[in-house]
Each structure stands twice: as C-alpha cells, then as structure tokens.
Coordinates of all heavy atoms in Angstrom, one line a residue:
M1 N -57.2 -54.4 105.0 CA -56.3 -53.8 104.0 C -54.8 -53.9 104.4 O -54.0 -53.3 103.7 CB -56.7 -52.4 103.7 CG -58.1 -52.2 103.2 SD -58.4 -53.2 101.7 CE -57.9 -52.2 100.5
S2 N -54.6 -54.5 105.5 CA -53.2 -54.5 106.0 C -52.3 -55.4 105.2 O -51.1 -55.3 105.3 CB -53.1 -55.0 107.5 OG -53.6 -56.3 107.5
F3 N -52.9 -56.2 104.3 CA -52.0 -57.1 103.4 C -51.4 -56.3 102.3 O -50.5 -56.8 101.6 CB -52.9 -58.2 102.9 CG -53.9 -57.9 101.8 CD1 -53.5 -58.0 100.5 CD2 -55.1 -57.4 102.2 CE1 -54.5 -57.7 99.5 CE2 -56.0 -57.1 101.2 CZ -55.7 -57.2 99.9
L4 N -51.9 -55.1 102.1 CA -51.3 -54.3 101.0 C -50.0 -53.7 101.3 O -49.2 -53.5 100.4 CB -52.3 -53.1 100.6 CG -53.6 -53.6 100.0 CD1 -54.5 -52.4 99.8 CD2 -53.4 -54.3 98.7
I5 N -49.7 -53.5 102.6 CA -48.4 -52.9 103.0 C -47.2 -53.9 102.6 O -46.3 -53.5 101.9 CB -48.3 -52.5 104.4 CG1 -49.3 -51.4 104.6 CG2 -47.0 -52.1 104.9 CD1 -49.6 -51.0 106.1
P6 N -47.3 -55.2 103.1 CA -46.2 -56.1 102.7 C -46.2 -56.3 101.1 O -45.1 -56.5 100.6 CB -46.5 -57.4 103.4 CG -47.6 -57.1 104.4 CD -48.2 -55.8 104.0
L7 N -47.3 -56.3 100.5 CA -47.4 -56.5 99.0 C -46.6 -55.3 98.4 O -45.9 -55.5 97.4 CB -48.8 -56.6 98.5 CG -49.0 -56.8 97.1 CD1 -48.3 -58.2 96.7 CD2 -50.4 -56.8 96.7
A8 N -46.8 -54.1 98.8 CA -46.2 -52.9 98.3 C -44.7 -53.0 98.5 O -43.9 -52.7 97.6 CB -46.7 -51.6 98.9
I9 N -44.3 -53.5 99.7 CA -42.8 -53.6 100.0 C -42.2 -54.7 99.1 O -41.1 -54.5 98.6 CB -42.6 -54.0 101.5 CG1 -43.0 -52.8 102.3 CG2 -41.2 -54.4 101.8 CD1 -43.1 -53.1 103.8
A10 N -42.9 -55.8 98.8 CA -42.5 -56.8 97.9 C -42.3 -56.3 96.5 O -41.3 -56.6 95.8 CB -43.4 -58.0 97.9
L11 N -43.2 -55.5 96.0 CA -43.1 -54.9 94.7 C -41.9 -53.9 94.6 O -41.2 -53.9 93.6 CB -44.4 -54.2 94.3 CG -45.6 -55.2 94.1 CD1 -46.9 -54.4 93.9 CD2 -45.4 -56.1 93.0
V12 N -41.7 -53.1 95.6 CA -40.5 -52.2 95.6 C -39.2 -53.0 95.6 O -38.3 -52.7 94.9 CB -40.6 -51.3 96.8 CG1 -39.3 -50.5 97.0 CG2 -41.8 -50.3 96.6
A13 N -39.2 -54.1 96.4 CA -38.0 -55.0 96.4 C -37.7 -55.6 95.1 O -36.6 -55.7 94.7 CB -38.2 -56.0 97.5
I14 N -38.8 -56.0 94.4 CA -38.6 -56.6 93.1 C -38.1 -55.6 92.1 O -37.2 -55.8 91.3 CB -39.9 -57.2 92.6 CG1 -40.2 -58.5 93.4 CG2 -39.8 -57.6 91.1 CD1 -41.6 -59.0 93.1
Y15 N -38.6 -54.3 92.2 CA -38.1 -53.3 91.3 C -36.6 -53.0 91.6 O -35.9 -52.8 90.7 CB -39.0 -52.0 91.6 CG -38.4 -50.8 90.8 CD1 -38.7 -50.7 89.4 CD2 -37.7 -49.8 91.5 CE1 -38.2 -49.6 88.7 CE2 -37.2 -48.7 90.8 CZ -37.5 -48.6 89.4 OH -37.0 -47.5 88.7
I16 N -36.3 -52.9 92.9 CA -34.9 -52.7 93.2 C -34.0 -53.8 92.7 O -32.9 -53.6 92.2 CB -34.7 -52.5 94.7 CG1 -35.3 -51.2 95.2 CG2 -33.3 -52.6 95.2 CD1 -35.4 -51.0 96.7
Q17 N -34.5 -55.0 92.8 CA -33.7 -56.2 92.3 C -33.4 -56.1 90.8 O -32.3 -56.4 90.4 CB -34.4 -57.5 92.6 CG -33.7 -58.7 92.3 CD -33.9 -59.3 90.9 OE1 -34.9 -59.1 90.3 NE2 -32.9 -60.0 90.4
Y18 N -34.3 -55.6 90.0 CA -34.1 -55.5 88.6 C -33.3 -54.2 88.2 O -32.6 -54.2 87.2 CB -35.4 -55.4 87.8 CG -36.1 -56.7 87.6 CD1 -37.3 -57.1 88.2 CD2 -35.4 -57.7 86.9 CE1 -37.8 -58.3 88.1 CE2 -36.0 -59.0 86.7 CZ -37.2 -59.2 87.3 OH -37.8 -60.5 87.2
Q19 N -33.2 -53.2 89.1 CA -32.5 -52.0 88.8 C -31.1 -52.0 89.3 O -30.3 -51.2 88.9 CB -33.3 -50.8 89.4 CG -34.6 -50.6 88.8 CD -34.6 -50.3 87.3 OE1 -33.7 -49.6 86.8 NE2 -35.5 -50.9 86.5
T20 N -30.7 -52.9 90.2 CA -29.4 -52.9 90.8 C -28.4 -53.7 90.0 O -28.7 -54.6 89.3 CB -29.4 -53.3 92.3 OG1 -28.2 -53.1 92.9 CG2 -29.8 -54.8 92.3
Q21 N -27.1 -53.3 90.2 CA -26.0 -54.0 89.6 C -25.3 -54.9 90.6 O -24.5 -55.7 90.2 CB -25.0 -53.0 88.9 CG -25.7 -52.2 87.8 CD -26.1 -53.1 86.6 OE1 -25.4 -54.0 86.3 NE2 -27.2 -52.7 86.0
E22 N -25.5 -54.6 91.9 CA -24.8 -55.3 93.0 C -25.5 -56.6 93.2 O -26.7 -56.7 93.4 CB -24.8 -54.4 94.2 CG -24.1 -53.1 94.1 CD -22.6 -53.3 94.0 OE1 -22.1 -54.3 94.6 OE2 -22.0 -52.5 93.2
E23 N -24.7 -57.7 93.3 CA -25.3 -59.0 93.5 C -25.9 -59.2 94.9 O -26.9 -59.8 95.1 CB -24.2 -60.1 93.3 CG -24.7 -61.5 93.4 CD -23.6 -62.5 93.0 OE1 -22.6 -62.1 92.5 OE2 -23.9 -63.7 93.3
I24 N -25.2 -58.7 95.9 CA -25.7 -58.8 97.3 C -27.0 -58.1 97.5 O -27.9 -58.6 98.2 CB -24.6 -58.4 98.3 CG1 -24.5 -59.3 99.5 CG2 -24.8 -57.1 98.9 CD1 -24.3 -60.6 99.4
V25 N -27.2 -56.9 96.9 CA -28.4 -56.2 97.0 C -29.5 -56.9 96.3 O -30.7 -57.0 96.8 CB -28.2 -54.7 96.4 CG1 -29.5 -54.0 96.4 CG2 -27.2 -54.0 97.2
A26 N -29.2 -57.5 95.2 CA -30.2 -58.3 94.4 C -30.7 -59.5 95.2 O -31.9 -59.7 95.3 CB -29.7 -58.7 93.1
I27 N -29.8 -60.2 95.9 CA -30.2 -61.4 96.7 C -31.0 -60.9 97.9 O -32.0 -61.6 98.2 CB -28.9 -62.2 97.1 CG1 -28.3 -62.8 95.9 CG2 -29.2 -63.2 98.1 CD1 -26.9 -63.4 96.1
F28 N -30.6 -59.9 98.5 CA -31.3 -59.4 99.7 C -32.7 -58.9 99.3 O -33.6 -59.2 100.0 CB -30.5 -58.3 100.4 CG -31.1 -57.8 101.7 CD1 -31.1 -58.6 102.7 CD2 -31.5 -56.5 101.8 CE1 -31.6 -58.2 103.9 CE2 -32.1 -56.1 103.0 CZ -32.1 -56.9 104.1
S29 N -32.8 -58.3 98.2 CA -34.1 -57.8 97.8 C -35.1 -58.9 97.4 O -36.3 -58.9 97.6 CB -34.0 -56.8 96.7 OG -33.5 -57.4 95.5
I30 N -34.5 -60.0 96.8 CA -35.3 -61.2 96.5 C -35.8 -61.8 97.8 O -37.0 -62.2 97.8 CB -34.5 -62.2 95.7 CG1 -34.2 -61.7 94.3 CG2 -35.2 -63.5 95.6 CD1 -33.3 -62.5 93.4
V31 N -35.0 -62.0 98.8 CA -35.4 -62.6 100.0 C -36.5 -61.7 100.7 O -37.5 -62.2 101.1 CB -34.2 -62.7 101.0 CG1 -34.7 -63.1 102.4 CG2 -33.2 -63.7 100.5
I32 N -36.3 -60.4 100.7 CA -37.4 -59.5 101.2 C -38.7 -59.6 100.4 O -39.7 -59.7 101.0 CB -36.9 -58.1 101.2 CG1 -35.8 -57.9 102.3 CG2 -38.0 -57.1 101.5 CD1 -35.2 -56.5 102.3
A33 N -38.6 -59.7 99.1 CA -39.8 -59.8 98.3 C -40.5 -61.1 98.6 O -41.7 -61.1 98.7 CB -39.4 -59.7 96.8
I34 N -39.8 -62.2 98.7 CA -40.5 -63.5 99.0 C -41.1 -63.5 100.3 O -42.3 -63.9 100.5 CB -39.4 -64.7 98.9 CG1 -39.0 -64.9 97.4 CG2 -40.0 -66.0 99.4 CD1 -37.9 -65.8 97.2
V35 N -40.4 -63.0 101.4 CA -41.0 -63.0 102.7 C -42.2 -62.1 102.7 O -43.3 -62.4 103.3 CB -40.0 -62.5 103.7 CG1 -40.6 -62.2 105.1 CG2 -38.9 -63.6 103.9
C36 N -42.1 -60.9 102.1 CA -43.3 -60.0 102.2 C -44.5 -60.5 101.3 O -45.6 -60.3 101.7 CB -42.8 -58.6 101.6 SG -41.8 -57.7 102.8
F37 N -44.2 -61.2 100.2 CA -45.2 -61.7 99.4 C -46.0 -62.8 100.2 O -47.3 -62.8 100.2 CB -44.7 -62.3 98.1 CG -45.7 -62.8 97.2 CD1 -46.6 -62.0 96.6 CD2 -45.9 -64.2 97.0 CE1 -47.6 -62.5 95.7 CE2 -46.8 -64.7 96.2 CZ -47.7 -63.8 95.5
F38 N -45.3 -63.7 100.8 CA -46.0 -64.7 101.6 C -46.8 -64.1 102.8 O -47.8 -64.6 103.2 CB -45.1 -65.8 102.1 CG -44.7 -66.8 101.0 CD1 -43.4 -66.9 100.6 CD2 -45.7 -67.5 100.3 CE1 -43.1 -67.8 99.6 CE2 -45.4 -68.3 99.3 CZ -44.1 -68.5 98.9
L39 N -46.2 -63.1 103.4 CA -46.9 -62.4 104.5 C -48.1 -61.7 104.1 O -49.2 -61.8 104.7 CB -45.9 -61.4 105.2 CG -46.4 -60.6 106.4 CD1 -46.7 -61.6 107.5 CD2 -45.5 -59.6 106.8
S40 N -48.1 -61.1 102.9 CA -49.3 -60.5 102.4 C -50.4 -61.5 102.0 O -51.6 -61.3 102.2 CB -49.0 -59.6 101.1 OG -48.6 -60.4 100.0
L41 N -49.9 -62.7 101.6 CA -50.9 -63.8 101.3 C -51.6 -64.3 102.6 O -52.8 -64.6 102.6 CB -50.3 -64.9 100.6 CG -50.0 -64.7 99.1 CD1 -49.3 -65.9 98.5 CD2 -51.2 -64.4 98.3
V42 N -50.8 -64.3 103.7 CA -51.3 -64.8 105.0 C -52.3 -63.7 105.5 O -53.4 -64.1 106.1 CB -50.2 -65.1 106.0 CG1 -50.7 -65.2 107.4 CG2 -49.4 -66.3 105.5
L43 N -52.0 -62.5 105.3 CA -52.8 -61.4 105.9 C -54.0 -61.1 105.0 O -54.9 -60.3 105.5 CB -52.0 -60.1 106.1 CG -50.9 -60.2 107.2 CD1 -50.1 -59.0 107.2 CD2 -51.5 -60.5 108.5
A44 N -54.1 -61.6 103.8 CA -55.2 -61.3 102.9 C -56.5 -61.9 103.4 O -56.5 -63.0 104.0 CB -54.8 -61.8 101.5
P45 N -57.6 -61.2 103.1 CA -58.9 -61.8 103.5 C -59.1 -63.1 102.7 O -58.6 -63.3 101.6 CB -59.9 -60.7 103.1 CG -59.2 -59.6 102.6 CD -57.7 -59.9 102.5
W46 N -60.0 -63.9 103.2 CA -60.2 -65.2 102.5 C -60.8 -65.1 101.1 O -60.5 -66.0 100.3 CB -61.1 -66.1 103.4 CG -62.5 -65.6 103.6 CD1 -63.0 -64.8 104.5 CD2 -63.6 -66.0 102.7 NE1 -64.3 -64.6 104.3 CE2 -64.8 -65.3 103.2 CE3 -63.8 -66.7 101.6 CZ2 -66.0 -65.4 102.6 CZ3 -65.0 -66.8 101.0 CH2 -66.1 -66.2 101.5
M47 N -61.5 -64.1 100.8 CA -62.1 -63.9 99.5 C -60.9 -63.6 98.5 O -60.9 -64.1 97.4 CB -63.1 -62.8 99.4 CG -64.4 -63.1 100.1 SD -65.7 -62.0 99.8 CE -65.1 -60.5 100.6
V48 N -59.9 -62.9 98.9 CA -58.8 -62.6 98.0 C -58.0 -63.9 97.9 O -57.5 -64.2 96.8 CB -57.9 -61.5 98.6 CG1 -56.6 -61.3 97.8 CG2 -58.7 -60.2 98.6
Q49 N -57.8 -64.7 98.9 CA -57.1 -65.9 98.8 C -57.8 -66.9 97.9 O -57.1 -67.6 97.1 CB -56.9 -66.5 100.2 CG -56.0 -65.7 101.1 CD -56.0 -66.3 102.5 OE1 -56.7 -67.2 102.9 NE2 -55.1 -65.8 103.3
I50 N -59.1 -67.0 97.9 CA -59.8 -67.9 97.0 C -59.7 -67.4 95.6 O -59.5 -68.2 94.7 CB -61.3 -67.9 97.4 CG1 -61.5 -68.4 98.8 CG2 -62.2 -68.6 96.4 CD1 -61.9 -69.8 98.9
L51 N -59.7 -66.0 95.4 CA -59.5 -65.5 94.0 C -58.2 -65.8 93.5 O -58.0 -66.2 92.3 CB -59.7 -64.0 94.1 CG -59.6 -63.2 92.7 CD1 -60.8 -63.7 91.8 CD2 -59.6 -61.8 93.0
I52 N -57.1 -65.7 94.3 CA -55.8 -66.1 93.9 C -55.7 -67.6 93.6 O -55.1 -68.0 92.6 CB -54.7 -65.7 95.0 CG1 -54.7 -64.2 95.1 CG2 -53.4 -66.3 94.7 CD1 -53.9 -63.7 96.3
L53 N -56.3 -68.4 94.4 CA -56.3 -69.9 94.1 C -57.0 -70.2 92.8 O -56.5 -71.0 92.0 CB -57.0 -70.6 95.3 CG -57.1 -72.1 95.1 CD1 -55.8 -72.7 95.2 CD2 -58.0 -72.6 96.2
V54 N -58.2 -69.6 92.6 CA -58.9 -69.9 91.3 C -58.1 -69.4 90.1 O -58.0 -70.1 89.1 CB -60.3 -69.3 91.4 CG1 -61.0 -69.3 90.0 CG2 -61.1 -70.0 92.4
A55 N -57.5 -68.2 90.2 CA -56.8 -67.7 89.1 C -55.5 -68.5 88.8 O -55.2 -68.8 87.7 CB -56.3 -66.2 89.4
G56 N -54.9 -69.0 89.9 CA -53.7 -69.9 89.7 C -54.1 -71.2 89.1 O -53.4 -71.7 88.2
L57 N -55.2 -71.8 89.5 CA -55.6 -73.1 88.9 C -56.0 -72.9 87.4 O -55.7 -73.7 86.5 CB -56.8 -73.7 89.7 CG -56.4 -74.2 91.0 CD1 -57.7 -74.7 91.8 CD2 -55.4 -75.3 90.9
G58 N -56.7 -71.8 87.1 CA -57.1 -71.5 85.8 C -55.9 -71.2 84.9 O -55.8 -71.6 83.7
G59 N -54.9 -70.5 85.4 CA -53.7 -70.3 84.7 C -52.9 -71.5 84.4 O -52.3 -71.7 83.3
M60 N -52.9 -72.5 85.4 CA -52.2 -73.8 85.1 C -52.9 -74.6 84.0 O -52.2 -75.2 83.2 CB -52.2 -74.6 86.4 CG -51.2 -74.0 87.4 SD -49.5 -74.0 86.9 CE -49.2 -75.7 86.7
R61 N -54.2 -74.5 84.0 CA -55.0 -75.3 83.0 C -54.7 -74.7 81.6 O -54.4 -75.4 80.6 CB -56.5 -75.2 83.2 CG -56.9 -76.1 84.4 CD -58.3 -76.2 84.5 NE -58.8 -77.4 83.7 CZ -60.0 -77.7 83.6 NH1 -61.0 -77.0 84.1 NH2 -60.3 -78.8 82.9
Y62 N -54.6 -73.3 81.5 CA -54.3 -72.7 80.3 C -52.9 -73.0 79.8 O -52.6 -73.3 78.7 CB -54.5 -71.1 80.4 CG -54.0 -70.4 79.2 CD1 -54.8 -70.4 78.0 CD2 -52.8 -69.7 79.2 CE1 -54.3 -69.7 76.9 CE2 -52.4 -69.0 78.1 CZ -53.1 -69.0 77.0 OH -52.7 -68.3 75.9
F63 N -51.9 -72.9 80.8 CA -50.5 -73.1 80.5 C -50.4 -74.6 80.0 O -49.7 -74.8 79.0 CB -49.7 -72.9 81.7 CG -48.2 -73.2 81.5 CD1 -47.4 -72.3 80.8 CD2 -47.7 -74.4 81.9 CE1 -46.1 -72.6 80.6 CE2 -46.3 -74.7 81.7 CZ -45.5 -73.8 81.0
C64 N -51.0 -75.5 80.6 CA -50.9 -76.9 80.3 C -51.5 -77.2 78.9 O -50.9 -77.9 78.1 CB -51.6 -77.8 81.3 SG -50.6 -79.2 81.8
R65 N -52.6 -76.6 78.6 CA -53.2 -76.8 77.3 C -52.4 -76.1 76.2 O -52.3 -76.7 75.1 CB -54.6 -76.3 77.3 CG -55.6 -77.2 78.1 CD -57.0 -76.8 77.9 NE -57.8 -77.7 78.8 CZ -59.1 -77.7 78.9 NH1 -59.7 -76.9 78.1 NH2 -59.7 -78.5 79.7
S66 N -51.9 -74.9 76.4 CA -51.2 -74.2 75.4 C -49.8 -74.8 75.1 O -49.3 -74.6 74.0 CB -51.1 -72.7 75.7 OG -50.3 -72.5 76.8
H67 N -49.2 -75.5 76.1 CA -47.9 -76.0 75.9 C -48.0 -77.6 75.8 O -46.9 -78.2 75.9 CB -47.0 -75.6 77.1 CG -46.6 -74.2 77.0 ND1 -47.4 -73.2 77.6 CD2 -45.6 -73.5 76.4 CE1 -46.9 -72.1 77.4 NE2 -45.8 -72.2 76.7
S68 N -49.1 -78.1 75.7 CA -49.4 -79.5 75.5 C -48.6 -80.4 76.5 O -47.8 -81.2 76.2 CB -49.1 -80.0 74.1 OG -47.8 -79.9 73.8
C69 N -48.9 -80.1 77.8 CA -48.3 -80.9 78.9 C -48.7 -82.4 78.7 O -49.8 -82.7 78.5 CB -48.7 -80.4 80.3 SG -48.2 -78.8 80.6
Q70 N -47.7 -83.3 78.9 CA -47.9 -84.7 78.8 C -47.2 -85.4 80.0 O -46.2 -84.9 80.4 CB -47.4 -85.3 77.5 CG -48.1 -84.7 76.3 CD -47.6 -85.3 75.0 OE1 -46.5 -85.9 75.0 NE2 -48.2 -85.0 73.9
D71 N -47.8 -86.5 80.4 CA -47.2 -87.2 81.5 C -46.1 -88.2 80.9 O -45.8 -88.1 79.7 CB -48.2 -88.0 82.3 CG -49.0 -89.1 81.4 OD1 -48.7 -89.2 80.2 OD2 -49.8 -89.8 82.0
A72 N -45.5 -89.0 81.7 CA -44.4 -89.8 81.3 C -44.8 -90.8 80.2 O -43.9 -91.2 79.4 CB -43.8 -90.5 82.5
A73 N -46.0 -91.3 80.2 CA -46.4 -92.3 79.3 C -46.7 -91.7 77.9 O -46.9 -92.4 76.9 CB -47.7 -93.0 79.8
G74 N -46.7 -90.4 77.8 CA -46.9 -89.7 76.5 C -48.3 -89.4 76.2 O -48.6 -88.8 75.1
K75 N -49.2 -89.6 77.1 CA -50.6 -89.2 76.8 C -50.9 -88.0 77.6 O -50.3 -87.7 78.6 CB -51.6 -90.4 77.2 CG -51.6 -90.8 78.6 CD -52.6 -91.9 78.9 CE -52.6 -92.1 80.4 NZ -53.7 -93.0 80.7
E76 N -52.0 -87.3 77.2 CA -52.3 -86.1 77.9 C -53.1 -86.4 79.2 O -53.9 -87.3 79.2 CB -53.3 -85.2 77.0 CG -53.5 -83.8 77.5 CD -54.1 -82.9 76.5 OE1 -53.8 -83.1 75.3 OE2 -54.9 -82.1 76.9
P77 N -52.7 -85.7 80.3 CA -53.4 -86.0 81.6 C -54.8 -85.6 81.6 O -55.3 -84.7 80.9 CB -52.6 -85.2 82.6 CG -52.0 -84.0 81.8 CD -51.8 -84.6 80.4
D78 N -55.6 -86.3 82.4 CA -57.1 -86.0 82.5 C -57.2 -84.8 83.4 O -56.9 -84.9 84.6 CB -57.8 -87.2 83.1 CG -57.7 -88.4 82.2 OD1 -57.7 -88.2 80.9 OD2 -57.8 -89.5 82.7
V79 N -57.7 -83.7 82.9 CA -57.8 -82.5 83.7 C -59.3 -82.2 83.9 O -60.1 -82.3 83.1 CB -57.1 -81.3 83.1 CG1 -57.2 -80.1 84.0 CG2 -55.6 -81.7 83.0

C-alpha cells in the first residue's frame, strides 16, 4: 500500500495547480505531480499495474473507434 502515498501527493499537487494563480507554483506542482505519479506506478503491485495497462489499452481502442482514427493512407487500422 506504499504506492498510495505518492499517488495522494500527486493528486494534491494537481489540485493546487488548478487552484493557484501563480505560474511558478503551477509549474512546480505539475513537476511534483508527474514525479509522484510515476513513483506510485513503480511502487504499485503487479496486479494493479496490469489493471492499469488493460484499462489504458481498452480506453485507446474506445477512443480510436469513437473518433474514427485513420492512418496516413486513409483506411482504418487493423486493431
């Protein structure tokens, strides 16, 4: 469960980024959020990592079908 701490820090940093008016604070919070998010992915158990991978692949298939992704030749890619 140690991956939840960096994930919580990343979520707080994202919240701060949206609530602040200062540019330097927003940039700093984005950097913290990215670093903490990747750290939480590294520390996550393998079952959570597989779940994230499957959800990402499923989301890409849905996004591609709903927005009719096409390759350069104009035909739909074989998925």
